[in-house]
Amino acid sequence: MGTGTTADLQGGPREPPAPTRPYRGRFAPSPTGPLHFGSLLAAAGSWLDARAARGEWLLRIEDIDPPREVPGAAEDIIRALDAFGLWWDGDVVFQSRRSEAHVAGLQRLLDLGWAYPCLCTRKSIAAANRRRDRPDDTSYPGTCRSLPPSAAKRTRVVRALTTSEPIEIKDRLQDGFTQVLEMDPGDFVLRRRDGLIAYQLAVVVDDYEQGVTDVVRGVDLLDSTPRQRWLQTLLGYPEPRYMHLPVIVQPDGAKLSKQTGARAVATSDPGTTAWQALKCLGQEPPAELRGAAPVELWDWALAHWSPQHLAGIRNIQMP
Ligand SMILES: [Zn+2]
């Protein structure tokens, strides 16, 4: 840096992050329901990884999709994290208050020619996929790539231009994960029909502006990572390190989630629940710590934190 090259000024792809950046992690739940056991696991894994590295840990509430939100859920999540002693640094960031930064990111992609307006409907996308003999495909066929910029006046939908180059995600736990975005999901949505900025773009802008170096989250989000990685490349942001933790599944194999009606994690006996969470994270807390206060458990866990026990594991049964 400091030479002021044209590439710097234009913000083209830059070098990968210096490995000396101090660790900064985050937990970024959507307030679509209370903290359940699966999200506690992700929070604890992310918190332990950050604290074991003597790093910072931020809490960001991803409340940018009002139609999916549950009133009071953000407060419930914050209260539960506090009860479990998973304390964060600085103020809680509400993503909904960061729309200016998200819109600036979108504008930058439009200016760089990496995003374009789209006039398609779900129906016209399905028809286009039938025409190219991919009737079951919901991925975007690129129909509006060549629309003139004036088309932007007729729609709020904006898509990212994707690449046919495979994007490989190196993960600390999961096998290399590769996607060819142009094939699947195709040019993805950055701004929705309702005018809201899409999750993928908001996450990328916020992680960058908050200086996040390490993303530790559930493996159910691995599928989003190539899209986020692509946006980071286009915007000239450094690549964070990724660690995708297993997710909790119910006996029928379904992922424990707010959508499947997962119950709020009980905060009445946080020590026992935290002990179970540590077991699920592949750690072996001593039996005598069962039921101890969470802070005591986390102290033990920080001294022994070894996430590599979870290598290659995607699902864990609900204890
Ligand atoms: Zn289109």
Side-chain angles (χ1 to χ4, degrees):
M1 294 292 143
T3 51
T5 64
T6 322
D8 280 343
L9 292 173
Q10 291 178 348
R14 287 175 201 161
E15 288 170 8
T20 48
R21 280 203 298 166
Y23 188 120
R24 187 177 283 170
R26 74 348 182 239
F27 179 55
S30 308
T32 51
L35 194 79
H36 57 77
F37 188 76
S39 42
L40 173 68
L41 205 70
S46 155
W47 186 88
L48 286 167
D49 201 60
R51 297 307 191 204
R54 300 184 185 282
E56 290 178 291
W57 191 68
L58 312 179
L59 175 57
R60 184 172 76 223
I61 302 289
E62 304 210 315
D63 56 345
I64 50 159
D65 194 353
R68 288 182 58 234
E69 272 159 40
V70 172
E75 293 75 14
D76 283 348
I77 292 170
I78 291 168
R79 253 197 309 273
L81 290 171
D82 186 46
F84 280 99
L86 297 172
W87 296 312
W88 52 92
D89 293 303
D91 293 332
V92 179
V93 169
F94 289 85
Q95 201 163 43
S96 57
R97 297 179 199 159
R98 297 197 24 83
S99 56
E100 222 171 287
H102 304 153
V103 170
L106 180 74
Q107 191 56 52
R108 193 166 150 80
L109 291 170
L110 283 163
D111 293 345
L112 291 168
W114 285 112
Y116 62 89
C118 167
L119 299 171
C120 296
T121 59
R122 200 167 292 160
K123 226 168 147 185
S124 72
I125 292 171
N129 279 332
R130 274 197 303 277
R131 279 197 300 276
R132 56 176 192 158
D133 284 327
R134 292 169 68 175
D136 301 321
D137 205 334
T138 54
S139 61
Y140 184 69
T143 316
C144 297
R145 277 186 171 188
S146 50
L147 280 184
S150 60
K153 294 195 197 95
R154 293 160 57 200
T155 180
R156 286 200 279 192
V157 179
V158 173
R159 291 180 182 273
L161 201 57
T162 54
T163 172
S164 57
E165 290 287 313
I167 296 181
E168 194 197 349
I169 302 302
K170 290 180 201 77
D171 190 89
R172 288 164 61 197
L173 292 178
Q174 308 299 333
D175 289 338
F177 178 69
T178 302
Q179 259 184 342
V180 177
L181 292 179
E182 197 175 51
M183 300 288 291
D184 181 22
D187 295 350
F188 52 94
V189 170
L190 298 173
R191 187 172 63 196
R192 312 183 334 187
R193 199 167 302 279
D194 56 12
L196 294 171
I197 295 288
Y199 161 80
Q200 307 292 355
L201 177 59
V203 167
V204 163
V205 168
D206 288 347
D207 278 344
Y208 169 69
E209 293 203 354
Q210 291 188 287
V212 168
T213 61
D214 285 74
V215 173
V216 178
R217 59 187 179 188
V219 73
D220 51 323
L221 286 166
L222 185 57
D223 187 54
S224 286
T225 310
R227 275 171 279 174
Q228 293 172 15
R229 182 68 209 110
W230 178 235
L231 294 179
Q232 288 156 1
T233 306
L234 298 179
L235 289 164
Y237 298 164
E239 179 176 14
R241 281 200 310 171
Y242 287 100
M243 181 157 81
H244 284 91
L245 301 168
V247 293
I248 295 286
V249 292
Q250 292 159 319
D252 64 358
K255 183 202 153 210
L256 191 68
S257 74
K258 294 157 191 166
Q259 286 73 35
T260 57
R263 273 178 308 154
V265 69
T267 50
S268 51
D269 181 10
T272 303
T273 309
W275 193 88
Q276 282 171 333
L278 277 180
K279 294 284 282 184
C280 287
L281 285 168
Q283 314 301 296
E284 290 297 335
E288 61 268 26
L289 278 181
R290 197 184 173 116
V295 267
E296 250 183 89
L297 272 169
W298 303 140
D299 274 351
W300 177 90
L302 284 175
H304 298 87
W305 177 237
S306 34
Q308 61 275 16
H309 293 313
L310 298 170
I313 300 178
R314 288 177 166 247
N315 295 318
I316 291 181
Q317 287 287 330
M318 180 80 191

